[in-house]
Amino acid sequence: MGAVTKDGKDIADRSREIVKTKISEVLGKNVVLYSEEEMGIIERVVHATADPEYSKLVNFDNKPIENGLKAINDECPIIADISMVKAGIRYEDVLCTISEKKVFEVAKKEQVTRAVASIRASKELINGGIVVIGNAPTALLEVIRLNKEEGITPKLVIGAPVGFVKAAESKELLRTTKIPSISTMGPKGGTPVAVSAINGIIALSKNERI
């Protein structure tokens, strides 16, 4: 049995090498299809989930990293679908209204989910802002509706809702829009995926190691 290192940096470096190897095994020759920045995001997602399958599940559409960096550098707000997503984002201006009283009232009055009501309450900030969704498919569907019907256009959407009801469909619909987005294919996703993706872009904006 090998010795256990006490050097945190060494452990992190070893972990990164393992992640890179796993990604290469999954992607094979397709690894060359991704930019260095995209591979950095994929590495973060795989590391956060310990699931190499994400290597082939993460989609980048309409220059999301480029547009995300511009939004971060312009200090645009980030709107999160749930409090857990908000808590994980390393950025000062992050908003999540899902637990606010007015959201409960709107959800009840309009007979929609709190996730939908929360997105509606935040639509002025969503227009020109960043949306990060790691849990609620209905929140993502509402962002898409606002874009199509009201012209609300985020600079970036991280769409990674998880589940077997509407999760895959909402992400497929996102990929048909012109919204810059990072999304996952199928039912997989969740808070760690969404948070690791946006934090990767935030790290890039600070010239930190992604």
Side-chain angles (χ1 to χ4, degrees):
M1 185 175 178
V4 177
T5 178
K6 295 181 180 180
D7 187 337
K9 183 176 183 299
D10 181 52
I11 293 174
D13 287 343
R14 287 170 57 199
S15 180
R16 285 174 62 88
E17 290 306 313
I18 292 170
V19 166
K20 287 181 178 179
T21 299
K22 296 291 185 183
I23 291 172
S24 295
E25 290 173 355
V26 172
L27 291 179
K29 294 180 180 179
N30 289 333
V31 71
V32 299
L33 300 177
Y34 297 89
S35 69
E36 181 180 349
E37 292 78 13
E38 288 171 341
M39 286 303 300
I41 299 296
I42 292 172
E43 286 174 17
R44 275 182 170 259
V45 171
V46 171
H47 185 269
T49 60
D51 187 351
E53 187 182 14
Y54 277 106
S55 305
K56 60 183 180 182
L57 298 181
V58 180
N59 277 32
F60 301 88
D61 294 287
N62 304 312
K63 300 181 179 179
I65 296 177
E66 178 182 325
N67 284 281
L69 284 172
K70 186 177 186 306
I72 293 296
N73 289 330
D74 289 344
E75 299 182 346
C76 294
I78 295 177
I79 295 83
D81 64 330
I82 61 171
S83 299
M84 189 177 296
V85 170
K86 176 185 176 182
I89 299 174
R90 299 170 184 170
Y91 189 71
E92 185 173 344
D93 190 6
V94 185
L95 175 72
C96 177
T97 63
I98 197 165
S99 296
E100 294 184 2
K101 182 180 179 181
K102 65 178 180 180
V103 168
F104 280 89
E105 293 172 349
V106 169
K108 184 177 180 180
K109 180 180 178 181
E110 300 183 6
Q111 292 296 294
V112 296
T113 66
R114 283 195 293 133
V116 168
S118 178
I119 291 297
R120 290 180 183 176
S122 308
K123 69 179 182 179
E124 291 183 4
L125 294 174
I126 289 172
N127 194 34
I130 296 172
V131 182
V132 183
I133 296 175
N135 180 266
T138 56
L140 181 53
L141 289 170
E142 181 62 13
V143 171
I144 297 166
R145 187 196 69 78
L146 287 172
N147 175 249
K148 291 185 175 182
E149 296 182 9
E150 300 185 30
I152 302 296
T153 305
K155 289 186 177 177
L156 170 66
V157 171
I158 307 291
V162 60
F164 294 106
V165 180
K166 295 185 179 180
E169 294 87 345
S170 66
K171 291 177 284 189
E172 288 174 8
L173 191 59
L174 174 63
R175 291 190 285 271
T176 67
T177 72
K178 295 182 180 179
I179 300 171
S181 66
I182 300 175
S183 62
T184 52
M185 297 175 64
K188 282 190 172 185
T191 296
V193 175
V195 169
S196 59
I198 189 60
N199 280 343
I201 293 176
I202 293 168
L204 278 173
S205 74
K206 300 176 181 178
N207 294 315
E208 295 177 355
R209 184 178 182 180
I210 190 170

